[in-house]
Amino acid sequence: VQLVESGGGSVQAGGSLNVSCLASNYIINNCAVGWYRQAPGKDRELVAHLGYSSPAGYGDSVKGRFIISRDNAKNTFSMQMNNLKIEDTAKYVCAAACSVSAGWSTWGQGTQVTVS
């Protein structure tokens, strides 16, 4: 298993949560990492991504509220989610892209975030 999520949970609107992903040595040292989310009845959405040496990118719906980071020494990347909204409720899945041709091809199992 190359990606294992932790965190998530339930929070009231306006609150904060953090999700983390423990990655393999290869992924954390060679790949772009990111977070997708999928809510029931909606398409999967790329929420945030972070290259090995490039700045982070965010979906329009989370800009200014979510922060993605990586700690290569701990084989971990995380996403701090602030000022959560009800519409942020979804299953959050961490992912890795290790080459342009492969794209986002390595996935975690997902963790639920529920905002009420």
Side-chain angles (χ1 to χ4, degrees), residues 52-68:
Y52 189 76
S53 58
S54 59
Y58 298 93
D60 288 341
S61 61
V62 306
K63 280 181 182 176
R65 300 189 296 122
F66 289 13
I67 302 171
I68 187 172

Side-chain angles (χ1 to χ4, degrees), residues 24-33 51-52 70 72 96-99:
S24 67
N25 284 333
Y26 180 80
I27 286 175
I28 204 67
N29 289 301
N30 295 282
C31 306
V33 295
Y52 189 76
R70 66 194 295 163
N72 288 9
C98 299
S99 68

Side-chain angles (χ1 to χ4, degrees), residues 75-97:
N75 282 31
T76 299
F77 60 99
S78 302
M79 185 166 67
Q80 177 66 30
M81 303 180 288
N82 301 317
N83 190 22
L84 282 160
K85 304 177 180 180
I86 291 175
E87 52 264 38
D88 293 320
T89 295
K91 184 176 183 180
Y92 285 71
V93 185
C94 61

